[in-house]
Amino acid sequence: SIAKLIDYIENQILLGHLQRTDFSKDLLTRGLEIASRLRGGVPSGSEIQEDDFLNREFKGVVIDALGLDAVITGVLKQRIEEVKKCLNAKASLAVIFLCGSALEGILLGVATQNVIQFNQAALSPKDKNGNVRRLYDWTLNDLINVARELGLLGEDVKKFSHVLRDFRNYIHPYQQISSGFDPDQHTARICWQVLQAAIVQLSK
């Protein structure tokens, strides 16, 4: 669909594979308006703009509010502190990897506390026999999509969480080389915003 195409373009811009200057904001907005009219509904979450997301302020982001067990909570707190240090040191690649692993740990922790709901979700991953995979075999992609389906994450966090997931895949050096990925502070800020927003939404 048009909306999915525009969502793909925006993600590719964030990943650095396409240039923002080649796709004006007005053009993308008009495309989303056309998609909305064709659907006969309201505009989708694809209209969430990167600048709007980055400019949000998150206060009182507390890992304890997630209600996870003490052991994983302690590990997550350590990673959050590491993220802050890496942001200050402008260690962008480290921020991306830490945010990605923390997000996956948080979502898996939430899933293990809500096993029935996650397993019964329409988007839960299945094996070749149609059985739901064990939670520990779910990918970050699976966790994000099901958390959104259950209303635990908003469309904004879902969208940018997938961007973070794509960034984190560059932990493999050869994949980073082949794609020409060169993370900077802007990339790191997106990932940090995703993690903070996810914690806030999941805490509710």
Side-chain angles (χ1 to χ4, degrees), residues 6 35 74 87 154 175 200:
I6 292 175
L87 279 168
Q175 188 167 348
V200 169

Side-chain angles (χ1 to χ4, degrees), residues 57-151:
E57 291 187 15
F58 299 100
K59 296 180 180 178
V61 178
V62 182
I63 292 291
D64 297 274
L66 294 168
L68 304 178
D69 69 70
V71 176
I72 189 63
T73 296
V75 171
L76 290 169
K77 283 181 177 178
Q78 290 178 343
R79 296 203 177 195
I80 294 295
E81 290 306 309
E82 287 287 323
V83 170
K84 293 176 181 177
K85 291 176 183 177
C86 290
L87 279 168
N88 290 330
K90 297 185 178 181
S92 303
L93 199 59
V95 170
I96 294 168
F97 297 155
L98 282 166
C99 286
S101 66
L103 179 62
E104 187 164 11
I106 288 169
L107 288 172
L108 182 57
V110 170
T112 56
Q113 291 185 331
N114 301 276
V115 177
I116 294 176
Q117 294 94 321
F118 271 73
N119 283 343
Q120 291 181 346
L123 295 176
S124 60
K126 314 292 194 303
D127 61 23
K128 61 182 180 181
N129 296 317
N131 299 314
V132 177
R133 296 183 183 278
R134 296 180 306 165
L135 282 176
Y136 287 91
D137 292 329
W138 287 30
T139 65
L140 179 54
N141 181 65
D142 298 326
L143 291 166
I144 292 169
N145 288 336
V146 172
R148 172 55 186 150
E149 180 187 338
L150 296 175

Side-chain angles (χ1 to χ4, degrees), residues 11-12 14-17 93 96-97 162-183 187:
N11 286 341
Q12 292 301 302
L14 291 175
L15 289 167
H17 296 162
L93 199 59
I96 294 168
F97 297 155
H162 282 304
V163 174
L164 169 55
R165 181 207 66 201
D166 290 339
F167 285 157
R168 193 195 60 165
N169 289 338
Y170 294 118
I171 194 169
H172 305 291
Y174 282 100
Q175 188 167 348
Q176 181 182 350
I177 292 170
S178 64
S179 63
F181 180 59
D182 185 20
T187 309

